[in-house]
Amino acid sequence: MQPGLLTLVQWLSPAFPTGAFAYSHGLETAIADGRLTDAATVQDWLATVLHHGSGWQDAVLLARGLSGEDLDQLSDLAHALAGSAERLAETMDQGTAFARTAAHVTGLALPARPLPLAVAEAARPLEMPVAEAVALYLHAFASNLVTIAVRAIPLGQSQGQMILAALHPLVHSLAQRAASASLDDLASSAFAADLAAMAHETLQPRLFRT
């Protein structure tokens, strides 16, 4: 076992206080609009976000950060890639909370950054294999959105776990690709998810922050 594995699992677990449970990543809008109604539609939506949307963007940014690229420049790029005010708030709020808690735990000076880069900066000393770290990050990202769907549609707990299990092969393949990707490989074409995130800014009533 890699020495840093359990540390990274802890940092990416629901117990780590980033407030991820409060952010639906636009999922709440899609549920309110009737586009997500069951396990099949949720699984398809999440697969698209992971493969073609912010999941892939975060994976590449995290991989490049772990590989030693300049974190300030990557943070500026992450700001530019945020497709809406809520997407920017989501990554910055969680990244700030992550950095604050990780700094207390590690004693490192960790500035506020977008979430994938806050994780990259804290995790560099762990010397984890990049693909493994990215897979854990994407799994945590997907897990949080599954719990949102379980609560908001609602879905049964067993259905939620089946969705997450079905996404494992995709998470693995994306992590492998991201580990060797360059910034030239950054792209996003998850338009429905991006529009849902934008529409959430005026959604009423709403339970989640994004």
Side-chain angles (χ1 to χ4, degrees), residues 86-106:
E86 291 212 354
R87 283 282 169 83
L88 180 59
E90 181 175 356
T91 192
M92 284 306 303
D93 290 351
Q94 292 187 64
T96 299
F98 178 93
R100 180 172 57 246
T101 304
H104 284 304
V105 171
T106 64

Side-chain angles (χ1 to χ4, degrees), residues 52-163:
H52 301 292
S54 53
W56 172 246
Q57 290 182 342
D58 279 6
V60 174
L61 290 169
L62 174 58
R64 300 324 308 154
L66 289 170
S67 299
E69 294 198 20
D70 186 274
L71 289 166
D72 290 335
Q73 292 183 12
L74 290 173
S75 295
D76 289 343
L77 179 57
H79 276 75
L81 289 171
S84 66
E86 291 212 354
R87 283 282 169 83
L88 180 59
E90 181 175 356
T91 192
M92 284 306 303
D93 290 351
Q94 292 187 64
T96 299
F98 178 93
R100 180 172 57 246
T101 304
H104 284 304
V105 171
T106 64
L108 299 173
L110 299 172
R113 296 190 185 279
L115 181 59
L117 300 169
V119 173
E121 185 162 18
R124 276 181 176 180
L126 302 180
E127 298 183 344
M128 288 276 296
V130 172
E132 192 169 333
V134 173
L136 290 174
Y137 179 96
L138 290 177
H139 187 272
F141 174 77
S143 295
N144 183 65
L145 294 185
V146 166
T147 65
I148 299 295
V150 166
R151 285 183 284 160
I153 288 179
L155 297 176
Q157 293 287 347
S158 295
Q159 287 181 302
Q161 290 304 308
M162 290 173 66
I163 293 169

